[in-house]
Amino acid sequence: MGKPTGFLECKRELPAYSPVVVRIKDHKEFVQSISKIKVEKQASRCMDCGVPFCHSGCPLGNNIPDFNDMVYKDNWKAAYKILASTNNFPEFTGRICPAPCEASCVLAINKEATAIELIEKNIIERAYQEGWVKPNIPLLRSNKKVAVIGSGPAGLAAASQLNSAGHQVTVFERSNRIGGLLRYGIPDFKLEKALIDRRLEVMRAAGIQFKTKLEVGKNMPLDRVLNDYDAVLLSGGSTIPRDVEVKGRNLKGVHFAMDFLRQQNERNAGDRIKKEEAILAKDKHVLVIGGGDTGSDCVGTSIRQGAQSVLQIELLIQPPNGFNPATPWPQYPAILRTSSSQEEGCEREWSVLTKAFVGDDKGQLKGVKLVDIEWENGSFKEIEGSERELPCDLAFLAVGFLHPQLDGLINDLGIDLDERKNVKTKKYQTSKAGVFAAGDMRRGQSLVVHAISEGREAARKIDLYLSGSSVLESKENSLISVVD
Ligand SMILES: Cc1cc2nc3c(=O)[nH]c(=O)nc-3n(C[C@H](O)[C@H](O)[C@H](O)COP(=O)(O)OP(=O)(O)OC[C@H]3O[C@@H](n4cnc5c(N)ncnc54)[C@H](O)[C@@H]3O)c2cc1C
């Protein structure tokens, strides 16, 4: 441990955000930087606990006390090596991870947790600045070929790992650009896309091939992939959104959240959106249905586009402030959180049900009927007399994703699905030999950190399948247990 009294001497400190009035003028990241000395001080707060719960709190099993110690001792290069040994993309998780590691930090029992995510982000940014992030070119090639279908964090992590094991990896992506939801879902103000491009440059230099605008099972024949490659990884994400099937659902102005978010990401990247297809919140009364991350991203994007008002509603009950006895430490606490987007000026309501969308005579959304509900034993009933109609010109449905797209690739493969219609696997292998699955396509809608972890674990299983043994790092060969 670097400094035994660090956590007693120094308080948790995070970088400031640009003021709301400034940051909503564009779609850029707004978290300000913090000095190296301050980050080292934050690292000194790590207690290097005998049993570091942050290790198991992190789905990647990051060796957090070890890199904290190196940062505190000003040995950033060593910190980078430790971090990179378990996490292929700390530049993503260091910005957008909900940081379950911090929730399980021992300090968090009665103090503020070590600022692990901040430290992680600063390690990787420094590593890029100093030129420590180098392509991991294998010394020997195995002459085995692997196709990775889907270029989100799961596919990219698997591609990195498999390439470093010597296999020739090709990533197929149906969109114009690589990155999955990192590219097209998560807004620039949380994750600027130049960060993805910077990482892709390193991956290309390491020998990974990327093929865009190719949907396997559609304009890229599945048989060709199965014949040409020794193993296949399915990492196509969970892309079928849950709907809100109420009266007026088909009115103009009611959209799935991803259609809106994708467009703004494309606009930021310089793509032209056809006028008749553009979904824009300027001067509109916006309703966001769903209180999660996706909903919050719709709020921030609507505000940046100049919405007149933004209301975010959630069916579930408002979580408690500060502490929830149902999720004690070291679990991730189910408590009230306010995202940076919500801070920017939206109203929020909980225990609210959407009854109907109301349109004008041209089929354009102009209002929404809502009703308050009361929860009891897992079911709810409407509160009499609470029904109301509000003006609403644009509504975004951000109520989660059901399962991967089955049409095409998955149906053509004829592989087994689980009860939620995600791809069923045993140790990441599907019911078809040589075909593996990872990320949201396998586990259902989740988080970037889980997708990276799944990509790494699946890569090890593919390496074992192709080579009979594997030296790839994974949770399997660390002390952290693996759940398949
Ligand atoms: C709006 C939004 C915001 C989010 N914010 C956060 C956040 O802040 N923090 C966080 O941790 N998580 C967040 N998430 C969740 C996170 O983005 C996902 O869990 C993660 O991206 C899943 O990674 P994946 O690689 O499994 O799939 P994806 O990222 O979905 O990538 C799958 C890719 O596969 C491609 N594909 C599918 N089928 C084919 C095919 N047949 N051929 C070729 N390509 C194909 C798709 O086009 C896509 O690019 C968010 C999700 C959304 C929707």
Side-chain angles (χ1 to χ4, degrees):
M1 190 208 298
K3 190 167 194 195
T5 54
F7 70 98
L8 294 171
E9 290 168 26
C10 139
K11 282 204 150 97
R12 177 176 160 108
E13 187 185 343
L14 296 179
Y17 292 173
S18 304
V20 170
V21 285
V22 175
R23 72 187 193 232
I24 61 169
K25 286 188 180 144
D26 60 39
H27 293 265
K28 298 197 178 122
E29 281 188 17
F30 51 79
V31 181
Q32 293 174 1
S33 53
I34 181 168
S35 73
K36 174 172 168 282
I37 300 290
K38 280 192 172 172
V39 180
E40 288 170 4
K41 270 194 172 168
Q42 288 304 306
S44 82
R45 295 185 72 239
C46 176
M47 300 194 294
D48 195 7
C49 317
V51 180
F53 282 79
C54 54
H55 265 241
S56 41
C58 172
L60 286 161
N62 281 347
N63 296 318
I64 293 162
D66 292 4
F67 66 63
N68 282 341
D69 189 33
M70 287 301 116
V71 167
Y72 168 64
K73 290 178 174 150
D74 195 15
N75 190 347
W76 287 72
K77 191 167 187 180
Y80 165 64
K81 286 199 169 152
I82 295 164
L83 175 58
S85 72
T86 54
N87 185 350
N88 300 75
F89 312 124
E91 63 272 43
F92 307 149
T93 48
R95 285 175 167 80
I96 55 165
C97 190
C101 55
E102 293 188 11
S104 58
C105 170
V106 173
L107 264 184
I109 297 174
N110 63 349
K111 283 193 164 28
E112 288 190 299
T114 306
I116 301 166
E117 190 171 13
L118 165 81
I119 295 165
E120 179 173 325
K121 176 179 167 186
N122 278 270
I123 293 172
I124 185 65
E125 289 309 320
R126 197 171 163 83
Y128 271 110
Q129 272 164 25
E130 299 286 344
W132 300 330
V133 183
K134 297 225 166 64
N136 198 352
I137 302 169
L139 292 175
L140 281 175
R141 283 284 174 191
S142 67
N143 78 37
K144 301 277 185 200
K145 289 165 71 184
V146 184
V148 171
I149 305 176
S151 70
L156 293 180
S160 271
Q161 294 293 96
L162 288 162
N163 181 70
S164 69
H167 309 303
Q168 186 60 62
V169 182
T170 305
V171 179
F172 292 93
E173 171 55 56
R174 65 183 172 193
S175 297
N176 291 352
R177 299 182 182 87
I178 297 293
L181 288 172
L182 297 170
R183 175 81 65 182
Y184 289 109
I186 296 168
D188 276 22
F189 56 79
K190 277 165 63 180
L191 181 78
E192 285 185 12
K193 308 311 172 220
L195 299 164
I196 308 175
D197 298 334
R198 180 177 70 176
R199 176 58 70 174
L200 292 177
E201 234 175 81
V202 179
M203 292 176 71
R204 279 195 186 94
I208 299 168
Q209 289 185 28
F210 293 96
K211 293 188 188 281
T212 53
K213 302 182 202 169
L214 285 182
E215 179 163 355
V216 178
K218 218 172 181 181
N219 62 347
M220 176 68 195
L222 173 61
D223 282 351
R224 222 166 101 196
V225 174
L226 293 175
N227 287 336
D228 289 358
Y229 291 85
D230 300 289
V232 174
L233 176 69
L234 309 177
S235 47
S238 176
T239 51
I240 304 299
R242 182 174 288 116
D243 212 335
V244 176
E245 287 165 4
V246 296
K247 201 170 158 223
R249 165 65 184 89
N250 293 325
L251 289 167
K252 280 180 256 165
V254 183
H255 302 275
F256 285 120
M258 263 308 292
D259 294 339
F260 174 59
L261 295 172
R262 185 181 182 98
Q263 267 194 10
Q264 187 55 50
N265 278 321
E266 287 172 338
R267 222 174 263 122
N268 293 343
D271 292 355
R272 272 179 65 95
I273 311 290
K274 285 189 196 145
K275 206 173 166 199
E276 63 278 15
E277 287 173 10
I279 309 169
L280 288 166
K282 187 158 175 48
D283 298 331
K284 297 202 172 130
H285 292 292
V286 175
L287 174 73
V288 177
I289 304 178
D293 265 347
T294 305
S296 171
D297 292 345
C298 290
V299 169
T301 304
S302 300
I303 290 172
R304 279 163 182 73
Q305 289 186 359
Q308 192 172 337
S309 70
V310 184
L311 169 65
Q312 185 178 22
I313 59 168
E314 167 60 53
L315 188 70
L316 297 175
I317 207 159
Q318 178 171 350
N321 229 330
F323 177 71
N324 185 344
T327 51
W329 180 91
Q331 291 179 54
Y332 192 73
I335 52 170
L336 180 64
R337 291 186 172 78
T338 301
S339 72
S340 59
S341 292
Q342 288 155 344
E343 262 175 14
E344 289 163 3
C346 86
E347 281 189 35
R348 285 195 284 174
E349 292 180 14
W350 286 264
S351 300
V352 175
L353 177 71
T354 309
K355 289 284 281 182
F357 296 109
V358 183
D360 62 16
D361 51 9
K362 291 191 185 106
Q364 176 66 47
L365 178 70
K366 71 171 180 71
V368 62
K369 283 187 182 162
L370 304 176
V371 67
D372 293 332
I373 55 167
E374 217 166 28
W375 282 93
E376 211 178 289
N377 300 327
S379 59
F380 64 79
K381 63 174 193 303
E382 295 178 17
I383 300 176
E384 230 182 87
S386 68
E387 192 168 316
R388 59 214 180 259
E389 187 176 323
L390 302 176
C392 171
D393 319 292
L394 201 52
F396 298 125
L397 314 182
V399 289
F401 296 84
L402 295 171
H403 51 69
Q405 180 186 314
L406 305 178
D407 193 30
L409 176 64
I410 292 183
N411 282 345
D412 293 354
L413 274 166
I415 47 177
D416 293 348
L417 304 176
D418 67 17
E419 62 286 354
R420 291 182 300 155
K421 297 198 185 149
N422 294 316
V423 175
K424 190 172 178 179
T425 60
K426 190 154 189 254
K427 299 196 166 133
Y428 294 89
Q429 175 150 248
T430 68
S431 53
K432 189 173 176 67
V435 179
F436 296 75
D440 284 6
M441 191 169 236
R442 189 193 83 91
R443 68 182 288 132
Q445 172 196 5
S446 185
L447 293 172
V448 168
V449 68
H450 280 294
I452 299 173
S453 168
E454 294 232 337
R456 292 172 63 86
E457 300 303 319
R460 185 174 157 83
K461 294 292 184 285
I462 294 172
D463 192 25
L464 283 168
Y465 170 80
L466 294 175
S467 319
S469 65
S470 180
V471 291
L472 289 178
E473 285 261 4
S474 97
K475 287 192 286 188
E476 195 177 56
N477 51 13
S478 84
L479 296 175
I480 311 289
S481 64
V482 184
V483 182
D484 181 33

